[in-house]
PDB file of all heavy atoms in Angstrom:
ATOM      1  N   THR A 184     140.569 -69.848  76.663  1.00 89.00           N
ATOM      2  CA  THR A 184     139.130 -69.921  76.150  1.00 89.00           C
ATOM      3  C   THR A 184     139.259 -70.395  74.663  1.00 89.00           C
ATOM      4  O   THR A 184     139.986 -69.780  73.837  1.00 89.00           O
ATOM      5  CB  THR A 184     138.543 -68.547  76.248  1.00 89.00           C
ATOM      6  OG1 THR A 184     138.428 -68.179  77.580  1.00 89.00           O
ATOM      7  CG2 THR A 184     137.111 -68.572  75.623  1.00 89.00           C
ATOM      8  N   GLN A 185     138.478 -71.422  74.336  1.00 80.00           N
ATOM      9  CA  GLN A 185     138.425 -71.849  72.922  1.00 80.00           C
ATOM     10  C   GLN A 185     137.096 -72.495  72.809  1.00 80.00           C
ATOM     11  O   GLN A 185     136.516 -73.249  73.629  1.00 80.00           O
ATOM     12  CB  GLN A 185     139.504 -72.855  72.630  1.00 80.00           C
ATOM     13  CG  GLN A 185     139.547 -73.292  71.169  1.00 80.00           C
ATOM     14  CD  GLN A 185     140.720 -74.096  70.889  1.00 80.00           C
ATOM     15  OE1 GLN A 185     141.333 -74.688  71.696  1.00 80.00           O
ATOM     16  NE2 GLN A 185     141.036 -74.223  69.577  1.00 80.00           N
ATOM     17  N   ASP A 186     136.479 -72.133  71.576  1.00 80.00           N
ATOM     18  CA  ASP A 186     135.122 -72.636  71.271  1.00 80.00           C
ATOM     19  C   ASP A 186     134.059 -72.312  72.305  1.00 80.00           C
ATOM     20  O   ASP A 186     133.201 -73.149  72.663  1.00 80.00           O
ATOM     21  CB  ASP A 186     135.125 -74.105  70.927  1.00 80.00           C
ATOM     22  CG  ASP A 186     136.087 -74.459  69.868  1.00 80.00           C
ATOM     23  OD1 ASP A 186     136.136 -73.620  68.915  1.00 80.00           O
ATOM     24  OD2 ASP A 186     136.727 -75.521  69.871  1.00 80.00           O
ATOM     25  N   GLY A 187     134.227 -71.200  73.083  1.00 82.00           N
ATOM     26  CA  GLY A 187     133.325 -70.808  74.051  1.00 82.00           C
ATOM     27  C   GLY A 187     133.482 -71.550  75.334  1.00 82.00           C
ATOM     28  O   GLY A 187     132.705 -71.338  76.288  1.00 82.00           O
ATOM     29  N   LYS A 188     134.558 -72.274  75.568  1.00 86.00           N
ATOM     30  CA  LYS A 188     134.741 -73.024  76.776  1.00 86.00           C
ATOM     31  C   LYS A 188     136.065 -72.549  77.441  1.00 86.00           C
ATOM     32  O   LYS A 188     137.051 -72.300  76.732  1.00 86.00           O
ATOM     33  CB  LYS A 188     134.869 -74.567  76.580  1.00 86.00           C
ATOM     34  CG  LYS A 188     133.617 -75.149  76.072  1.00 86.00           C
ATOM     35  CD  LYS A 188     133.774 -76.662  75.947  1.00 86.00           C
ATOM     36  CE  LYS A 188     132.428 -77.229  75.360  1.00 86.00           C
ATOM     37  NZ  LYS A 188     132.616 -78.622  75.054  1.00 86.00           N
ATOM     38  N   ASN A 189     136.006 -72.395  78.737  1.00 88.00           N
ATOM     39  CA  ASN A 189     137.233 -71.963  79.498  1.00 88.00           C
ATOM     40  C   ASN A 189     137.871 -73.217  80.071  1.00 88.00           C
ATOM     41  O   ASN A 189     137.246 -74.080  80.718  1.00 88.00           O
ATOM     42  CB  ASN A 189     136.733 -71.134  80.631  1.00 88.00           C
ATOM     43  CG  ASN A 189     136.150 -69.763  80.158  1.00 88.00           C
ATOM     44  OD1 ASN A 189     136.656 -69.168  79.281  1.00 88.00           O
ATOM     45  ND2 ASN A 189     134.974 -69.408  80.707  1.00 88.00           N
ATOM     46  N   LYS A 190     139.195 -73.410  79.715  1.00 91.00           N
ATOM     47  CA  LYS A 190     139.909 -74.557  80.103  1.00 91.00           C
ATOM     48  C   LYS A 190     141.102 -74.334  80.836  1.00 91.00           C
ATOM     49  O   LYS A 190     141.784 -73.323  80.535  1.00 91.00           O
ATOM     50  CB  LYS A 190     140.253 -75.364  78.802  1.00 91.00           C
ATOM     51  CG  LYS A 190     139.039 -75.786  78.055  1.00 91.00           C
ATOM     52  CD  LYS A 190     139.424 -76.585  76.746  1.00 91.00           C
ATOM     53  CE  LYS A 190     138.197 -77.057  75.963  1.00 91.00           C
ATOM     54  NZ  LYS A 190     138.611 -77.687  74.765  1.00 91.00           N
ATOM     55  N   LEU A 191     141.411 -75.166  81.788  1.00 90.00           N
ATOM     56  CA  LEU A 191     142.775 -75.098  82.501  1.00 90.00           C
ATOM     57  C   LEU A 191     143.621 -76.253  81.983  1.00 90.00           C
ATOM     58  O   LEU A 191     143.068 -77.382  81.941  1.00 90.00           O
ATOM     59  CB  LEU A 191     142.505 -75.324  84.005  1.00 90.00           C
ATOM     60  CG  LEU A 191     141.895 -74.182  84.840  1.00 90.00           C
ATOM     61  CD1 LEU A 191     141.479 -74.733  86.238  1.00 90.00           C
ATOM     62  CD2 LEU A 191     142.808 -72.967  84.874  1.00 90.00           C
ATOM     63  N   LEU A 192     144.852 -76.042  81.813  1.00 89.00           N
ATOM     64  CA  LEU A 192     145.817 -77.109  81.483  1.00 89.00           C
ATOM     65  C   LEU A 192     146.754 -77.050  82.615  1.00 89.00           C
ATOM     66  O   LEU A 192     147.518 -76.065  82.799  1.00 89.00           O
ATOM     67  CB  LEU A 192     146.475 -76.840  80.115  1.00 89.00           C
ATOM     68  CG  LEU A 192     147.487 -77.893  79.729  1.00 89.00           C
ATOM     69  CD1 LEU A 192     146.840 -79.295  79.589  1.00 89.00           C
ATOM     70  CD2 LEU A 192     148.200 -77.519  78.405  1.00 89.00           C
ATOM     71  N   LEU A 193     146.814 -78.158  83.399  1.00 88.00           N
ATOM     72  CA  LEU A 193     147.639 -78.190  84.593  1.00 88.00           C
ATOM     73  C   LEU A 193     148.918 -78.868  84.297  1.00 88.00           C
ATOM     74  O   LEU A 193     149.218 -79.473  83.221  1.00 88.00           O
ATOM     75  CB  LEU A 193     146.883 -78.882  85.641  1.00 88.00           C
ATOM     76  CG  LEU A 193     145.542 -78.303  86.075  1.00 88.00           C
ATOM     77  CD1 LEU A 193     144.790 -79.141  87.211  1.00 88.00           C
ATOM     78  CD2 LEU A 193     145.691 -76.845  86.524  1.00 88.00           C
ATOM     79  N   GLN A 194     149.887 -78.700  85.265  1.00 88.00           N
ATOM     80  CA  GLN A 194     151.243 -79.285  85.110  1.00 88.00           C
ATOM     81  C   GLN A 194     151.282 -80.754  84.767  1.00 88.00           C
ATOM     82  O   GLN A 194     152.083 -81.220  83.981  1.00 88.00           O
ATOM     83  CB  GLN A 194     152.060 -78.994  86.323  1.00 88.00           C
ATOM     84  CG  GLN A 194     153.429 -79.487  86.379  1.00 88.00           C
ATOM     85  CD  GLN A 194     154.328 -79.008  85.251  1.00 88.00           C
ATOM     86  OE1 GLN A 194     154.172 -77.896  84.777  1.00 88.00           O
ATOM     87  NE2 GLN A 194     155.300 -79.823  84.788  1.00 88.00           N
ATOM     88  N   ASP A 195     150.368 -81.445  85.347  1.00 84.00           N
ATOM     89  CA  ASP A 195     150.250 -82.953  85.050  1.00 84.00           C
ATOM     90  C   ASP A 195     149.660 -83.249  83.688  1.00 84.00           C
ATOM     91  O   ASP A 195     149.356 -84.401  83.415  1.00 84.00           O
ATOM     92  CB  ASP A 195     149.591 -83.721  86.113  1.00 84.00           C
ATOM     93  CG  ASP A 195     148.162 -83.312  86.325  1.00 84.00           C
ATOM     94  OD1 ASP A 195     147.595 -82.555  85.538  1.00 84.00           O
ATOM     95  OD2 ASP A 195     147.498 -83.808  87.280  1.00 84.00           O
ATOM     96  N   GLU A 196     149.409 -82.220  82.901  1.00 85.00           N
ATOM     97  CA  GLU A 196     148.833 -82.361  81.583  1.00 85.00           C
ATOM     98  C   GLU A 196     147.358 -82.694  81.615  1.00 85.00           C
ATOM     99  O   GLU A 196     146.763 -83.001  80.548  1.00 85.00           O
ATOM    100  CB  GLU A 196     149.642 -83.246  80.721  1.00 85.00           C
ATOM    101  CG  GLU A 196     151.016 -82.786  80.416  1.00 85.00           C
ATOM    102  CD  GLU A 196     151.874 -83.709  79.552  1.00 85.00           C
ATOM    103  OE1 GLU A 196     151.279 -84.612  78.847  1.00 85.00           O
ATOM    104  OE2 GLU A 196     153.060 -83.540  79.524  1.00 85.00           O
ATOM    105  N   SER A 197     146.765 -82.582  82.735  1.00 87.00           N
ATOM    106  CA  SER A 197     145.258 -82.839  82.810  1.00 87.00           C
ATOM    107  C   SER A 197     144.537 -81.461  82.322  1.00 87.00           C
ATOM    108  O   SER A 197     145.172 -80.397  82.509  1.00 87.00           O
ATOM    109  CB  SER A 197     144.802 -83.260  84.153  1.00 87.00           C
ATOM    110  OG  SER A 197     145.068 -82.195  85.158  1.00 87.00           O
ATOM    111  N   GLU A 198     143.417 -81.647  81.825  1.00 90.00           N
ATOM    112  CA  GLU A 198     142.624 -80.507  81.346  1.00 90.00           C
ATOM    113  C   GLU A 198     141.392 -80.469  82.100  1.00 90.00           C
ATOM    114  O   GLU A 198     140.632 -81.453  82.272  1.00 90.00           O
ATOM    115  CB  GLU A 198     142.381 -80.606  79.868  1.00 90.00           C
ATOM    116  CG  GLU A 198     141.905 -79.398  79.255  1.00 90.00           C
ATOM    117  CD  GLU A 198     141.765 -79.533  77.743  1.00 90.00           C
ATOM    118  OE1 GLU A 198     142.803 -79.442  77.038  1.00 90.00           O
ATOM    119  OE2 GLU A 198     140.649 -79.686  77.206  1.00 90.00           O
ATOM    120  N   ILE A 199     140.989 -79.276  82.613  1.00 90.00           N
ATOM    121  CA  ILE A 199     139.788 -79.107  83.398  1.00 90.00           C
ATOM    122  C   ILE A 199     138.943 -78.059  82.723  1.00 90.00           C
ATOM    123  O   ILE A 199     139.417 -76.973  82.329  1.00 90.00           O
ATOM    124  CB  ILE A 199     140.180 -78.694  84.853  1.00 90.00           C
ATOM    125  CG1 ILE A 199     140.926 -79.792  85.505  1.00 90.00           C
ATOM    126  CG2 ILE A 199     138.897 -78.343  85.615  1.00 90.00           C
ATOM    127  CD1 ILE A 199     141.450 -79.364  86.914  1.00 90.00           C
ATOM    128  N   ILE A 200     137.694 -78.233  82.656  1.00 91.00           N
ATOM    129  CA  ILE A 200     136.744 -77.169  82.184  1.00 91.00           C
ATOM    130  C   ILE A 200     136.538 -76.267  83.399  1.00 91.00           C
ATOM    131  O   ILE A 200     136.247 -76.645  84.481  1.00 91.00           O
ATOM    132  CB  ILE A 200     135.370 -77.707  81.796  1.00 91.00           C
ATOM    133  CG1 ILE A 200     135.530 -78.721  80.646  1.00 91.00           C
ATOM    134  CG2 ILE A 200     134.431 -76.607  81.411  1.00 91.00           C
ATOM    135  CD1 ILE A 200     136.112 -78.121  79.335  1.00 91.00           C
ATOM    136  N   ALA A 201     136.954 -74.967  83.169  1.00 90.00           N
ATOM    137  CA  ALA A 201     137.047 -74.020  84.320  1.00 90.00           C
ATOM    138  C   ALA A 201     135.730 -73.210  84.575  1.00 90.00           C
ATOM    139  O   ALA A 201     135.718 -72.474  85.502  1.00 90.00           O
ATOM    140  CB  ALA A 201     138.170 -73.026  83.978  1.00 90.00           C
ATOM    141  N   ASP A 202     134.730 -73.453  83.773  1.00 89.00           N
ATOM    142  CA  ASP A 202     133.456 -72.654  83.850  1.00 89.00           C
ATOM    143  C   ASP A 202     132.832 -72.731  85.244  1.00 89.00           C
ATOM    144  O   ASP A 202     132.099 -71.815  85.645  1.00 89.00           O
ATOM    145  CB  ASP A 202     132.471 -73.107  82.831  1.00 89.00           C
ATOM    146  CG  ASP A 202     132.929 -72.785  81.397  1.00 89.00           C
ATOM    147  OD1 ASP A 202     133.722 -71.856  81.269  1.00 89.00           O
ATOM    148  OD2 ASP A 202     132.496 -73.407  80.471  1.00 89.00           O
ATOM    149  N   GLN A 203     133.011 -73.910  85.968  1.00 91.00           N
ATOM    150  CA  GLN A 203     132.329 -74.004  87.267  1.00 91.00           C
ATOM    151  C   GLN A 203     133.122 -73.359  88.483  1.00 91.00           C
ATOM    152  O   GLN A 203     132.652 -73.451  89.575  1.00 91.00           O
ATOM    153  CB  GLN A 203     132.013 -75.455  87.626  1.00 91.00           C
ATOM    154  CG  GLN A 203     133.192 -76.327  87.947  1.00 91.00           C
ATOM    155  CD  GLN A 203     133.716 -77.121  86.759  1.00 91.00           C
ATOM    156  OE1 GLN A 203     133.545 -76.821  85.543  1.00 91.00           O
ATOM    157  NE2 GLN A 203     134.469 -78.140  87.018  1.00 91.00           N
ATOM    158  N   TYR A 204     134.319 -72.836  88.134  1.00 91.00           N
ATOM    159  CA  TYR A 204     135.151 -72.313  89.238  1.00 91.00           C
ATOM    160  C   TYR A 204     135.147 -70.786  89.187  1.00 91.00           C
ATOM    161  O   TYR A 204     135.061 -70.194  88.099  1.00 91.00           O
ATOM    162  CB  TYR A 204     136.634 -72.815  89.058  1.00 91.00           C
ATOM    163  CG  TYR A 204     136.755 -74.299  89.204  1.00 91.00           C
ATOM    164  CD1 TYR A 204     136.911 -75.082  87.989  1.00 91.00           C
ATOM    165  CD2 TYR A 204     136.700 -74.909  90.350  1.00 91.00           C
ATOM    166  CE1 TYR A 204     137.013 -76.567  88.134  1.00 91.00           C
ATOM    167  CE2 TYR A 204     136.862 -76.319  90.510  1.00 91.00           C
ATOM    168  CZ  TYR A 204     137.009 -77.127  89.359  1.00 91.00           C
ATOM    169  OH  TYR A 204     137.075 -78.440  89.498  1.00 91.00           O
ATOM    170  N   THR A 205     135.394 -70.169  90.336  1.00 91.00           N
ATOM    171  CA  THR A 205     135.468 -68.706  90.480  1.00 91.00           C
ATOM    172  C   THR A 205     136.890 -68.390  90.041  1.00 91.00           C
ATOM    173  O   THR A 205     137.789 -69.225  90.063  1.00 91.00           O
ATOM    174  CB  THR A 205     135.145 -68.239  91.823  1.00 91.00           C
ATOM    175  OG1 THR A 205     136.172 -68.698  92.718  1.00 91.00           O
ATOM    176  CG2 THR A 205     133.723 -68.661  92.298  1.00 91.00           C
ATOM    177  N   SER A 206     137.177 -67.130  89.873  1.00 90.00           N
ATOM    178  CA  SER A 206     138.581 -66.652  89.592  1.00 90.00           C
ATOM    179  C   SER A 206     139.488 -66.881  90.741  1.00 90.00           C
ATOM    180  O   SER A 206     140.575 -67.419  90.557  1.00 90.00           O
ATOM    181  CB  SER A 206     138.527 -65.134  89.312  1.00 90.00           C
ATOM    182  OG  SER A 206     137.927 -64.851  88.100  1.00 90.00           O
ATOM    183  N   ASP A 207     138.965 -66.749  92.025  1.00 91.00           N
ATOM    184  CA  ASP A 207     139.764 -67.051  93.150  1.00 91.00           C
ATOM    185  C   ASP A 207     140.150 -68.565  93.238  1.00 91.00           C
ATOM    186  O   ASP A 207     141.251 -68.864  93.535  1.00 91.00           O
ATOM    187  CB  ASP A 207     139.018 -66.640  94.459  1.00 91.00           C
ATOM    188  CG  ASP A 207     139.049 -65.099  94.612  1.00 91.00           C
ATOM    189  OD1 ASP A 207     139.811 -64.417  94.002  1.00 91.00           O
ATOM    190  OD2 ASP A 207     138.206 -64.649  95.410  1.00 91.00           O
ATOM    191  N   GLU A 208     139.191 -69.404  92.866  1.00 92.00           N
ATOM    192  CA  GLU A 208     139.496 -70.844  92.859  1.00 92.00           C
ATOM    193  C   GLU A 208     140.530 -71.205  91.866  1.00 92.00           C
ATOM    194  O   GLU A 208     141.427 -72.003  92.111  1.00 92.00           O
ATOM    195  CB  GLU A 208     138.223 -71.593  92.701  1.00 92.00           C
ATOM    196  CG  GLU A 208     137.297 -71.601  93.807  1.00 92.00           C
ATOM    197  CD  GLU A 208     135.914 -72.241  93.588  1.00 92.00           C
ATOM    198  OE1 GLU A 208     135.417 -72.102  92.443  1.00 92.00           O
ATOM    199  OE2 GLU A 208     135.375 -72.830  94.447  1.00 92.00           O
ATOM    200  N   ILE A 209     140.412 -70.604  90.660  1.00 90.00           N
ATOM    201  CA  ILE A 209     141.399 -70.898  89.553  1.00 90.00           C
ATOM    202  C   ILE A 209     142.753 -70.414  89.962  1.00 90.00           C
ATOM    203  O   ILE A 209     143.700 -71.092  89.713  1.00 90.00           O
ATOM    204  CB  ILE A 209     140.877 -70.256  88.233  1.00 90.00           C
ATOM    205  CG1 ILE A 209     139.628 -71.009  87.799  1.00 90.00           C
ATOM    206  CG2 ILE A 209     142.017 -70.348  87.233  1.00 90.00           C
ATOM    207  CD1 ILE A 209     138.899 -70.339  86.686  1.00 90.00           C
ATOM    208  N   ILE A 210     142.866 -69.164  90.497  1.00 91.00           N
ATOM    209  CA  ILE A 210     144.149 -68.628  90.921  1.00 91.00           C
ATOM    210  C   ILE A 210     144.688 -69.499  92.029  1.00 91.00           C
ATOM    211  O   ILE A 210     145.873 -69.778  92.020  1.00 91.00           O
ATOM    212  CB  ILE A 210     143.940 -67.101  91.327  1.00 91.00           C
ATOM    213  CG1 ILE A 210     143.655 -66.363  90.054  1.00 91.00           C
ATOM    214  CG2 ILE A 210     145.270 -66.674  92.079  1.00 91.00           C
ATOM    215  CD1 ILE A 210     143.345 -64.892  90.269  1.00 91.00           C
ATOM    216  N   GLY A 211     143.880 -70.007  92.899  1.00 92.00           N
ATOM    217  CA  GLY A 211     144.326 -70.870  93.934  1.00 92.00           C
ATOM    218  C   GLY A 211     144.910 -72.163  93.280  1.00 92.00           C
ATOM    219  O   GLY A 211     145.920 -72.638  93.863  1.00 92.00           O
ATOM    220  N   MET A 212     144.330 -72.716  92.293  1.00 91.00           N
ATOM    221  CA  MET A 212     144.855 -73.852  91.620  1.00 91.00           C
ATOM    222  C   MET A 212     146.207 -73.567  90.993  1.00 91.00           C
ATOM    223  O   MET A 212     147.130 -74.386  91.039  1.00 91.00           O
ATOM    224  CB  MET A 212     143.941 -74.371  90.551  1.00 91.00           C
ATOM    225  CG  MET A 212     142.684 -75.033  91.059  1.00 91.00           C
ATOM    226  SD  MET A 212     141.665 -75.640  89.613  1.00 91.00           S
ATOM    227  CE  MET A 212     140.002 -75.350  90.199  1.00 91.00           C
ATOM    228  N   PHE A 213     146.331 -72.416  90.406  1.00 91.00           N
ATOM    229  CA  PHE A 213     147.622 -72.014  89.789  1.00 91.00           C
ATOM    230  C   PHE A 213     148.687 -71.916  90.914  1.00 91.00           C
ATOM    231  O   PHE A 213     149.824 -72.481  90.768  1.00 91.00           O
ATOM    232  CB  PHE A 213     147.545 -70.682  89.076  1.00 91.00           C
ATOM    233  CG  PHE A 213     147.066 -70.783  87.659  1.00 91.00           C
ATOM    234  CD1 PHE A 213     145.956 -71.453  87.296  1.00 91.00           C
ATOM    235  CD2 PHE A 213     147.929 -70.196  86.680  1.00 91.00           C
ATOM    236  CE1 PHE A 213     145.712 -71.571  85.925  1.00 91.00           C
ATOM    237  CE2 PHE A 213     147.567 -70.306  85.400  1.00 91.00           C
ATOM    238  CZ  PHE A 213     146.426 -70.998  84.940  1.00 91.00           C
ATOM    239  N   ILE A 214     148.291 -71.330  92.051  1.00 93.00           N
ATOM    240  CA  ILE A 214     149.329 -71.223  93.098  1.00 93.00           C
ATOM    241  C   ILE A 214     149.704 -72.600  93.663  1.00 93.00           C
ATOM    242  O   ILE A 214     150.887 -72.861  93.850  1.00 93.00           O
ATOM    243  CB  ILE A 214     148.650 -70.378  94.267  1.00 93.00           C
ATOM    244  CG1 ILE A 214     148.566 -68.854  93.824  1.00 93.00           C
ATOM    245  CG2 ILE A 214     149.534 -70.499  95.554  1.00 93.00           C
ATOM    246  CD1 ILE A 214     147.792 -68.011  94.715  1.00 93.00           C
ATOM    247  N   ASP A 215     148.754 -73.448  93.907  1.00 93.00           N
ATOM    248  CA  ASP A 215     149.024 -74.823  94.324  1.00 93.00           C
ATOM    249  C   ASP A 215     149.963 -75.579  93.317  1.00 93.00           C
ATOM    250  O   ASP A 215     150.840 -76.220  93.687  1.00 93.00           O
ATOM    251  CB  ASP A 215     147.740 -75.654  94.502  1.00 93.00           C
ATOM    252  CG  ASP A 215     146.924 -75.112  95.610  1.00 93.00           C
ATOM    253  OD1 ASP A 215     147.454 -74.399  96.504  1.00 93.00           O
ATOM    254  OD2 ASP A 215     145.710 -75.507  95.735  1.00 93.00           O
ATOM    255  N   GLN A 216     149.623 -75.434  92.052  1.00 92.00           N
ATOM    256  CA  GLN A 216     150.447 -76.102  90.997  1.00 92.00           C
ATOM    257  C   GLN A 216     151.915 -75.589  90.968  1.00 92.00           C
ATOM    258  O   GLN A 216     152.794 -76.387  90.887  1.00 92.00           O
ATOM    259  CB  GLN A 216     149.804 -75.820  89.638  1.00 92.00           C
ATOM    260  CG  GLN A 216     148.465 -76.629  89.387  1.00 92.00           C
ATOM    261  CD  GLN A 216     148.810 -78.062  89.006  1.00 92.00           C
ATOM    262  OE1 GLN A 216     149.450 -78.324  87.948  1.00 92.00           O
ATOM    263  NE2 GLN A 216     148.225 -78.933  89.757  1.00 92.00           N
TER     264      GLN A 216
END
């Protein structure tokens, strides 16, 4: 979280705004990565 925005930084160095995802969806992305 920075500047009020939740962000994901993935292995391929892409950055995703995480606000539209649920915790389960984000954890699923981590597992997939």
Side-chain angles (χ1 to χ4, degrees):
T184 300
Q185 186 171 16
D186 301 324
K188 294 182 182 175
N189 299 310
K190 298 178 183 178
L191 289 169
L192 180 61
L193 302 178
Q194 176 61 30
D195 64 6
E196 298 183 14
S197 63
E198 191 174 285
I199 297 174
I200 300 297
D202 294 334
Q203 72 263 22
Y204 298 102
T205 66
S206 290
D207 287 340
E208 289 172 324
I209 293 169
I210 289 171
M212 287 183 217
F213 270 56
I214 290 169
D215 291 345
Q216 290 279 299

